Amino acid sequence: MCRSLFLIFLLMLAAESQAAPAIRIGLNYPSTGNYKSEGLELRRGALLAVDDINREGGVLGRPLELLSHNSAARDEKASANIDRFAAQGVSMAFGGATSEEAIAAGQRARELGLLFFPTLAYANAITGRDGQRYLFRETNSAWMSARVLGEYLSWHLPNRRYHYICLDDSWGHSMEQALREATRSRDRARHGFSRISVRGARHDEYLAALNKAAASNADVLVVVLLGQDLVQMMRLAHDMRLDRRMQIIVPNLTSSIVEQAGPQVMEHVIGTTAWTWQVPALVKSADGQAFVDAYIAQHQRYPDSTTASAYSVVREWAAAVQRAGSLDSEKIISALEEHHYSLLKDDQYWRGFDHQNVQSIYAVRVRSRSDIMQDRFKQDYFSIIHRMGGEEAAPSRDDWLEERGDDPILR
């Protein structure tokens, strides 16, 4: 009798544990439009993190549940999704594929008391001029990409003429400015440029920009685009044989871009990334290698930096909640600021004064098509050609204060 009562008591405890309400988090991601391939990788990374956390016992003894809404990479839709997430009871939100989207969604999250972690958002303004207390950026800034590229190019391609083709948005402008500074190509008369419309760019616009680049006698062509804009531009550049005349630089490279444009089109392009699937083995990260292996087992392909960023955001937010012992945003902020960790690579930390994640950045070159085709998945796209530590790559506090002007505190 006593034994039966004891078993019933244990079953009741188990049922109570299973009935613990889930903690919800919200992913703002483009499932349609210009950046839908990147959106797929964001969702895969987030789901893998949720599965791992729940397998380990959840957060504060409760399971984690991922909600997601399509942002279509539009700032107004991303902001409206934050309202939807809040109505659904999420404890934090993350995601996005453009800088405008990140700024708009982050501001709305702040108004609602929610933490927001942008992804694929590189404009300096996100943690600079428009930085705020409820936003933490895991991805690198334009400044960080420009620093590692500038150092590599100054060593290997010194005193070259540049031409820039840039998206006409905050990321495009900040990346162009940062790269001009890093490569000493500030003279716009010598180092020309074209702007590409943020929405609705067409073939004629791409072609006009490339014809201008072809006539410039530049040695280096910098293409500051993402998503389908970049894919179409690179295919045209290849058809025009510009890749044989110029070294092409794409500041922010992802595997999905190489896959969509094609390895032959992207062959030998130089860019940057905060992570590749080879990094865990290089830095001897057991957790990073476990992530790579788990992703390969599920999808029969390599994870890329987009996947890793989404995974890291969810894992590190959950770890901060555990340290805080609370879902209160202010307590989680305190748990995040200045916290160092090593998850998928070497040391990273959330800087206190601007909430920028400080981490090593890699310059990479797209491997030759013949080399890529020898890989088991035909997806080993990048060779790492240079590395810069996070402290060296990130803007200093003085740089940050100069951009912030008379507002030196995140609010």
Side-chain angles (χ1 to χ4, degrees), residues 126-256:
I126 291 170
T127 46
R129 184 187 65 246
D130 295 315
Q132 44 103 342
R133 182 166 173 77
Y134 279 61
L135 183 146
F136 288 80
R137 173 163 58 182
E138 195 278 337
T139 51
N140 56 284
S141 66
W143 179 295
M144 296 168 77
S145 290
R147 288 292 300 276
V148 67
L149 278 174
E151 185 169 87
Y152 177 84
L153 293 171
S154 69
W155 292 347
H156 297 277
L157 292 170
N159 305 315
R160 297 300 202 272
R161 175 174 285 184
Y162 286 74
H163 191 87
Y164 292 82
I165 299 176
C166 304
L167 196 64
D168 193 11
D169 70 352
S170 58
W171 168 65
H173 297 165
S174 62
M175 180 60 79
E176 180 189 351
Q177 180 182 357
L179 270 174
R180 285 184 181 277
E181 290 292 326
T183 58
R184 299 179 181 178
S185 55
R186 304 179 191 91
D187 183 353
R188 291 171 183 268
R190 173 173 167 78
H191 307 283
F193 67 97
S194 295
R195 304 263 191 247
I196 300 299
S197 301
V198 174
R199 294 179 184 171
R202 304 177 72 87
H203 179 274
D204 290 348
E205 189 174 355
Y206 301 140
L207 189 59
L210 287 172
N211 282 331
K212 185 176 178 181
S216 71
N217 293 319
D219 307 295
V220 180
L221 175 60
V222 180
V223 183
V224 186
L225 299 173
L226 292 169
Q228 286 301 306
D229 287 326
L230 178 56
V231 170
Q232 297 304 318
M233 187 69 74
M234 290 303 302
R235 286 175 178 168
L236 274 175
H238 179 71
D239 290 344
M240 295 170 66
R241 296 178 175 266
L242 292 184
D243 50 354
R244 300 189 181 186
R245 291 174 44 192
M246 304 173 175
Q247 173 61 62
I248 298 181
I249 307 293
V250 174
N252 297 106
L253 275 174
T254 64
S255 297
S256 62

Side-chain angles (χ1 to χ4, degrees), residues 256-278:
S256 62
I257 286 297
V258 181
E259 188 169 297
Q260 291 173 75
Q264 188 168 358
V265 168
M266 298 296 291
E267 195 172 60
H268 306 312
V269 169
I270 291 173
T272 72
T273 184
W275 190 89
T276 76
W277 71 272
Q278 306 106 315

